[in-house]
Structure formats: C-alpha cells, structure tokens
Amino acid sequence: MAEYYAGVDLGGTKILTGIGDASGRIIARSRSRTEVERGERAIVKNIIRSIHRALEKAELEIESLNCLGIGSPGPLNITEGIVYETSNLPFRRFPIVAMLEEEIALPVLLENDANAAALAEKMFGAGQQVEEMIYITISTGIGGGIINQGRIFHGCCDGAGEIGHMIVNPGGPTCGFKQHRGCLEAMASGTAIIREARKALQQQEVDGFLGFEGSAEELTGFQLARAARQGDQAAQEIYEEMGFYLGIGVANLIDLLNPELIVFGGGVMKARDLFWEIMEHSVADHAIPAVREDCRLVEAELGEDVGLAGALAVAISRGGKDAGKED
Ligand SMILES: [Zn+2]
C-alpha cells in the first residue's frame, strides 16, 4: 500500500527532494543541481533522478508513493501545471507537471513555494491549531501565503498571497519590478536592509559600522546585525525602520484578513531581536485594535526544512492515489 509521499523544492540552483510519511516526517532526502541553463528536459530528468535517489536511500520502491508535490517559485498556474517566466527559472511556459507525469507513474501537484511553506507551517509547524493563518518569509525577498479555512487561498488565477509586493511606502525604493515603489519587499527584506546600510556608507552619512572596516559592497547582514547589537546607533536605526514598515504591512494584513496567527520565517528572523518590538508597536499603531487583539504574531517552527516540508504538505494534502476520483 502506498503510504509515502515525495516532495521537490525546486530552486534556481538546486533541487531538494524528500520522501515523507503522512505526518510530514522526512525519512530520506537527496539534493541535486537544477541546471537551468540546460533547459526544461534536463530539469525534469534531474528531478526524476533525485526522486529515485531519495527512494533508494529510504529503501522504498516508487509504488510506495502516493503522489509528488512540487514547490516552485511563481508565477505559475497550478491547475494547468505551468511555471511562467521567473527571475530564477527563465522559461516562458514550462509545463512541468505534464512533463513529469510522462516520466513517472505518479500524480504530480504544483504549488507556489511560499504558499507551500505556509501550508507546511499550518500542517506541521506553528499553525497546527488554527484555520486562519498568514505566513511571511523574510529573506533576500519577502514572500508569503494565506491559509483560509485550513487551505491555501489562491485567488482567481493562483496569484494571491504576494505579501511582499503590498505598497507600504508609496514613492519609496523599487523592489526590482520596474515602477514598483515602496512595497514591503523594497522596505523590509534582507536586500532592503543592506541597501540602506550601503547607501549610508556611500553617502557618508555614517563613517562606518561598529566592528566593520570594509567597503560598502563588502557589508553583510550578519555584520550589520552584529554592529547593531554592539550598540551602533545607525545600524539599529536601519533595523528599526525595517520593523516600522514591516509593521505597516502586517497591520494591513490583519485588518484585511482577520487572521488568528501570523507566522514569520526566513533568514532575516535571525535578527528578530533588532526589529520585532518596533514592528509590534507599528502594528499596534496601524491596525484596528479589536482586530489586532485576535491575532498572535509568532516565529516559524520548520526552519530550513520549510521548502521541502512545503512540497510534501502539498502532496499530503491531496491524499492517497485515489483521492478525488469519486468527484
Ligand atoms: Zn514589489
């Protein structure tokens, strides 16, 4: 009987594959290069090979798997199983689901990676007790997913949940999308923090940051956070401003969607001590008080495994091989 699931976290440089059981426990994993430059067929081959390698490690046959979940950067169309052109995967319309189903005897399910991560936190992480939840990941960019009645909220065409591109500071810096100014990603991502710090150095608004001697280009988030913790006021102010704008975005989400829980993940959460309190004040200042009271703000629980857990969550939420056939 098929008891297991396969999940693939598809990235621009690497493919992470895991075999898991229905509780989301990962029993075997493998990792390979995506090889984007070699084209769609090569990516599909690499995915198939990595699934077989993970199966070998788990000492399982393909018959033990119910289905395969794929977490991919968007934009995409999950019904048609197509990944559109993204900065990481430069294809116009990559029919990844059809191409995989030709090669492997498994139903394949596609999901936006941030939505998949949100579902993983709901099913296996911080959101297990709630049905109305928002997940926000803050790293080089800002992404997220909305869980409504326990399921991913997709909107009409799978474009919902682009939390990072809500405008929180009209006329502010761009996020990389031309003419997209002052979105949450442009104001509060890891990239935004470093951009502000480098600008301060280049425009000589500061002489330097505590404990950092290099040039603006050499500055990293780790060094800036360390300077802030050592008492560097300019570094602290950069994190405070980030927290302020993040709070505006979070307040908008709270007022719009009335979530019970907002879960924060991503690498920038390592600097949580530098912006969390300011963010909470900003949320309190900008959200409707009664709606704010309903919502808890917490840290994600799945850590670096969230991408893989997300792909598995997508597969598991579909159920067994025969799920949906009676529909
Ligand atoms: Zn944007």
Side-chain angles (χ1 to χ4, degrees):
M1 203 184 94
E3 292 173 65
Y4 297 95
Y5 299 83
V8 168
D9 179 14
L10 178 64
T13 55
K14 60 183 189 294
I15 293 165
L16 298 176
T17 300
I19 307 293
D21 64 18
S23 71
R25 189 173 59 96
I26 299 168
I27 59 166
R29 57 180 84 210
S30 80
R31 180 192 174 107
S32 64
R33 297 204 310 120
T34 313
E35 299 187 301
V36 166
E37 66 286 353
R38 289 184 53 211
E40 298 173 359
R41 291 242 163 253
I43 295 178
V44 168
K45 285 224 156 57
N46 289 338
I47 291 173
I48 300 286
R49 206 176 303 137
S50 74
I51 292 168
H52 285 295
R53 209 177 308 138
L55 277 170
E56 259 171 53
K57 284 188 190 168
E59 299 183 359
L60 291 171
E61 301 294 327
I62 190 106
E63 289 74 27
S64 313
L65 298 178
N66 272 307
C67 60
L68 164 62
I70 309 270
S72 163
L76 37 80
N77 181 318
I78 59 169
T79 318
E80 292 181 30
I82 288 168
V83 181
Y84 297 117
E85 186 172 5
T86 76
S87 50
N88 289 332
L89 300 168
F91 304 111
R92 292 203 177 275
R93 284 172 63 88
F94 178 14
I96 186 169
V97 168
M99 287 177 75
L100 280 166
E101 285 183 341
E102 269 174 31
E103 302 280 334
I104 196 165
L106 278 179
V108 179
L109 293 140
L110 179 65
E111 186 53 82
N112 170 299
D113 51 7
N115 283 347
L119 186 64
E121 284 290 342
K122 193 266 170 279
M123 288 171 67
F124 317 126
Q128 291 179 55
Q129 311 301 325
V130 305
E131 296 290 300
E132 303 296 330
M133 183 197 109
I134 295 168
Y135 171 75
I136 303 178
T137 174
I138 312 167
S139 57
T140 51
I142 293 185
I146 298 163
I147 301 293
N148 172 228
Q149 298 185 346
R151 291 157 164 258
I152 297 167
F153 176 72
H154 286 109
C156 75
C157 312
D158 306 331
E162 289 291 348
I163 288 163
H165 298 293
M166 295 189 299
I167 305 298
V168 292
N169 180 26
T174 67
C175 64
F177 284 132
K178 274 181 199 160
Q179 293 159 347
H180 209 226
R181 293 195 164 275
C183 66
L184 194 54
E185 182 164 300
M187 300 310 299
S189 63
T191 308
I193 292 167
I194 285 296
R195 182 199 63 226
E196 288 305 304
R198 287 180 178 157
K199 197 171 80 186
L201 286 173
Q202 281 156 350
Q203 298 182 349
Q204 295 175 329
E205 289 161 16
V206 294
D207 296 331
F209 293 109
L210 261 181
F212 174 72
E213 305 286 335
S215 68
E217 292 72 35
E218 291 165 339
L219 181 71
T220 65
F222 174 78
Q223 290 159 333
L224 188 70
R226 190 179 54 192
R229 289 192 187 104
Q230 286 172 354
D232 188 305
Q233 211 178 333
Q236 287 170 354
E237 281 169 10
I238 289 170
Y239 282 99
E240 286 165 9
E241 187 171 276
M242 173 269 187
F244 171 80
Y245 285 109
L246 183 60
I248 294 178
V250 168
N252 286 338
L253 289 170
I254 288 174
D255 289 351
L256 188 66
L257 295 164
N258 186 205
E260 202 177 336
L261 189 71
I262 300 184
V263 178
F264 294 78
V268 175
M269 282 298 285
K270 291 194 182 108
R272 168 196 154 122
D273 55 307
L274 298 169
F275 65 81
W276 191 266
E277 225 181 290
I278 296 281
M279 179 192 75
E280 287 193 310
H281 282 299
S282 177
V283 172
D285 284 346
H286 295 101
I288 297 168
V291 188
R292 165 69 188 95
E293 273 175 29
D294 296 332
C295 183
R296 286 181 299 125
L297 310 178
V298 301
E299 207 166 337
E301 289 182 2
L302 298 177
E304 287 176 5
D305 264 344
V306 72
L308 203 46
L312 281 169
V314 169
I316 293 164
S317 66
R318 183 191 184 276
K321 266 182 177 152
D322 299 325
K325 273 195 182 158
E326 59 273 32
D327 287 349

